[in-house]
Amino acid sequence: MTEMTVRSIGVIRSPFTDPGGTPIQPRFARGVAGALEVDPAYAGALNDLSGFERIWVLYLFDRARPFHAEVVPYLDTVARGLFATRSPARPNPIGMSAWRLLEVSGTIVRVADVDVLDGTPLLDIKPYVPAFDAFTDSRAGWLERALETTT
């Protein structure tokens, strides 16, 4: 296996300090405001971002439980293979969320639909492009039955 070095490009600010009260996905965090505090070294990388409605935010689950090959996910009672879930207990605890972009002001990116803990290390920001990122006819495996009962 290859060792890698990944650097934080900033920090995520949110109203959540307790994992127990944090929404599990952006869809369940509608309207929750937060901010990405980007390191000034990356200020130029924020140019042209404000034209997008949503952004992909990649971050480090720095307070997640250790890796487990099987977990019982939210919306289920059966242990599932980790890679078939969105559990943060991953070999490389990297998370991603598609948040609404509200404003870019200097090195502060204001966002909504935030579903992470305050102080989470920010790894990357990418534009959400509906033509590339939305596959509305995709299957959702074991989760399809659970989603039918919650929507």
Side-chain angles (χ1 to χ4, degrees):
M1 290 200 229
T2 304
E3 285 287 320
M4 294 180 258
T5 301
V6 177
R7 290 178 203 31
S8 169
I9 64 164
V11 66
I12 300 171
R13 296 295 174 203
S14 84
F16 304 111
T17 57
D18 177 26
T22 305
I24 62 153
Q25 293 293 317
R27 188 167 298 275
F28 301 115
R30 289 184 193 235
V32 175
L36 312 177
E37 295 178 355
V38 178
D39 186 292
Y42 303 105
L46 295 171
N47 291 343
D48 305 310
L49 187 62
S50 63
F52 292 88
E53 181 177 336
R54 287 193 172 271
I55 54 175
W56 286 109
V57 179
L58 287 90
Y59 46 86
L60 186 68
F61 283 122
D62 62 323
R63 289 160 270 185
R65 295 183 321 268
F67 164 72
H68 292 284
E70 290 189 337
V71 297
V72 176
Y74 177 75
L75 298 178
D76 204 0
T77 57
V78 176
R80 304 283 180 179
L82 176 73
F83 296 142
T85 76
R86 293 199 173 183
S87 169
R90 312 192 81 76
N92 293 301
I94 297 170
M96 68 177 204
S97 295
W99 293 339
R100 280 188 298 129
L101 173 61
L102 303 177
E103 175 188 31
V104 178
S105 178
T107 58
I108 304 297
V109 179
R110 302 215 182 281
V111 291
D113 307 339
V114 176
D115 62 336
V116 301
L117 292 170
D118 186 58
T120 295
L122 174 63
L123 298 179
D124 203 355
I125 303 166
K126 298 176 186 285
Y128 177 94
V129 181
F132 303 158
D133 296 332
F135 298 92
T136 57
D137 58 347
S138 296
R139 293 185 321 272
W142 65 267
L143 198 51
E144 286 181 356
R145 280 192 307 271
L147 291 173
E148 287 173 2
T149 63
T150 62
T151 56

